[in-house]
Amino acid sequence: PIKWDPFESNKLVDSYPAGLSAANIFGTDDRGRDVAARLLYGFRYSIGFALLVWFLSYSIGCLAGALMGYMGGWVDLLGQRFVEVFETVPVLMILITLVSIFDASMAMLVVIVSAFGWMMISYYIRAEFLKLRNRDFVESARALGGSQWRVVFKHIFPNALGPIITFSPFTIAGLVSSLAILDYLGFGLAPPTPSWGELLQQAHSNFLTAWWLALFPSLALFLTLVVLNLMGEGVREAVDPR
């Protein structure tokens, strides 16, 4: 039903942005590109960014939290101070600086956001490991001669997945909206990459003449966030023993 490439302009309309028509069911943007096509491709970039950052940041956070919670003592004390220092770093300032120096790309955004997005999950994984490391089944695994890695990854970590399962849908929803905000402010993906935030920025510039540029990207963002949050609520209820 959508015959347009996200980078292709409709040369048959008189002016840009053009309203809804049979050729462009959601209208066109300020360069004549089909809004529906750019919404679909923008979803691919948004969900791809969110999943990559979620995987990398949760991997770093789980490793750090597991190490602090299992080792305890000075490792836990120094690790917590390191996490507190990392939390005070102005991420947005660093991101703005790097984008102003280099061309923004998906890889750069993923690396920066992942590098500063792992602290929250590390707290929960640390707490789970502190709670589980002295349980009877862990002591039994040690008494049977299990190595440290086997005890951590086979016995403790599977029982510490509650926070990961519970928070993941909400984290992914937050990352989708974060990319839209960055694109809206001009610090996200480089043009002409299709993105929802870039369409909303165009809507701001053409607010009185192109209402469809505000309505359809906002609706797509709203529906995506609602679905992800409903998934998060369902997962949280499923894993909650109470």
Side-chain angles (χ1 to χ4, degrees), residues 64-73 75-76 125-126 129-130 132-134 138 142 146-149 151-152 156:
L67 180 64
M68 291 184 290
Y70 184 74
M71 299 300 292
V75 174
D76 184 35
I125 296 300
R126 170 182 172 270
F129 269 72
L130 285 173
L132 295 170
R133 66 178 182 172
N134 293 321
V138 176
R142 291 198 189 100
S147 65
Q148 299 279 21
W149 288 101
V151 170
V152 168
I156 301 180

Side-chain angles (χ1 to χ4, degrees), residues 38-80:
R38 291 183 69 80
L39 283 177
L40 291 175
Y41 278 81
F43 175 78
R44 184 178 70 175
Y45 283 102
S46 297
I47 203 69
F49 168 83
L51 291 175
L52 282 172
V53 173
W54 164 79
F55 176 76
L56 292 175
S57 61
Y58 270 47
S59 297
I60 298 170
C62 288
L63 287 173
L67 180 64
M68 291 184 290
Y70 184 74
M71 299 300 292
W74 284 102
V75 174
D76 184 35
L77 181 64
L78 294 176
Q80 284 295 289

